[in-house]
């Protein structure tokens, strides 16, 4: 039945398969992080507070659950040609692509504004807070420039 898919549907199915591989690798990484968090303080005498360990366990396990749900959803879509076609059309629709782009630009602006504000306020409160916010701004700027020049060449 999958042989009857259009070329665009086959390409989108392959894209979902690659996403699933990435999600699976992320799940494995999160599980390794949880194992390290569980055995690290006992075996390697890692110093970590209970509140930090609890937060990280919750963070890693929730991210793991989200990625597993993505994998299951993608597998379900990949097995049903009708769902695959509907999903591909919804994801590649120009209006949806434009909405997503505008939302990302807005989010980038808000994130930049908050990081600038945090680095200014952080300079009065904590040197570490200021450095963290400033470094995140640099990461944001460098990743933007890398993406800009990469896509300028590619597109």
């Amino acid at each position: 039945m999958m042989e009857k898919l259009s070329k665009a549907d086959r390409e989108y199915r392959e894209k979902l398969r690659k996403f699933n591989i990435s999600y699976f690798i992320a799940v494995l990484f999160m599980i390794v992080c949880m194992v390290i968090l569980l055995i690290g303080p006992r075996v390697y005498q890692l110093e970590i507070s209970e509140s930090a360990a609890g937060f990280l366990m919750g963070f890693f396990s929730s991210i793991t659950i989200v990625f597993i749900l993505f994998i299951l959803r993608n597998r379900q879509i990949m097995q049903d040609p009708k769902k695959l076609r509907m999903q591909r059309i919804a994801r590649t629709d120009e209006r949806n692509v434009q909405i997503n782009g505008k939302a990302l630009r807005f989010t980038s602006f808000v994130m930049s504004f908050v990081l600038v504000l945090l680095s200014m306020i952080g300079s009065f409160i904590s040197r570490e807070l200021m450095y963290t916010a400033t470094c995140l701004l640099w990461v944001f700027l460098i990743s933007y420039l890398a993406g800009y020049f990469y896509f300028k060449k590619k597109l």
Side-chain angles (χ1 to χ4, degrees), residues 22-76:
S22 301
Y23 296 151
F24 181 73
I25 291 169
V27 166
L28 290 178
F29 178 73
M30 293 296 158
I31 290 172
V32 167
C33 289
M34 285 189 283
V35 168
I36 289 171
L37 195 58
L38 285 173
I39 66 170
R42 293 177 189 89
V43 176
Y44 300 109
Q45 286 78 33
L46 278 174
E47 295 286 328
I48 187 165
S49 69
E50 283 191 41
S51 62
F55 171 80
L56 289 173
M57 282 300 281
F59 178 76
F60 293 145
S61 56
S62 61
I63 296 290
T64 300
I65 290 169
V66 167
F67 282 139
I68 289 171
L69 290 175
F70 282 170
I71 290 170
L72 294 174
R73 183 199 63 189
N74 284 351
R75 289 187 75 178
Q76 186 180 29

Side-chain angles (χ1 to χ4, degrees), residues 14-135:
E14 181 61 22
K15 190 175 183 180
L16 289 179
R17 190 187 69 76
K18 288 179 182 177
F19 274 133
N20 277 357
I21 292 171
S22 301
Y23 296 151
F24 181 73
I25 291 169
V27 166
L28 290 178
F29 178 73
M30 293 296 158
I31 290 172
V32 167
C33 289
M34 285 189 283
V35 168
I36 289 171
L37 195 58
L38 285 173
I39 66 170
R42 293 177 189 89
V43 176
Y44 300 109
Q45 286 78 33
L46 278 174
E47 295 286 328
I48 187 165
S49 69
E50 283 191 41
S51 62
F55 171 80
L56 289 173
M57 282 300 281
F59 178 76
F60 293 145
S61 56
S62 61
I63 296 290
T64 300
I65 290 169
V66 167
F67 282 139
I68 289 171
L69 290 175
F70 282 170
I71 290 170
L72 294 174
R73 183 199 63 189
N74 284 351
R75 289 187 75 178
Q76 186 180 29
I77 291 170
M78 289 167 55
Q79 292 173 354
D80 187 352
K82 288 181 183 178
K83 285 183 182 177
L84 182 68
R85 180 173 169 76
M86 286 175 40
Q87 179 81 11
R88 177 187 59 82
I89 290 171
R91 295 281 179 178
T92 57
D93 179 55
E94 284 184 38
R95 182 174 182 271
N96 290 339
V97 170
Q98 192 174 23
I99 289 170
N100 191 34
K102 286 184 183 264
L104 284 172
R105 280 193 294 277
F106 177 75
T107 303
S108 297
F109 173 77
V110 170
M111 181 62 87
S112 300
F113 180 76
V114 168
L115 287 174
V116 166
L117 198 63
L118 187 61
S119 58
M120 288 188 317
I121 293 170
S123 66
F124 297 110
I125 298 171
S126 163
R127 175 179 260 169
E128 290 82 15
L129 184 63
M130 178 188 69
Y131 285 145
T132 302
T134 304
C135 287

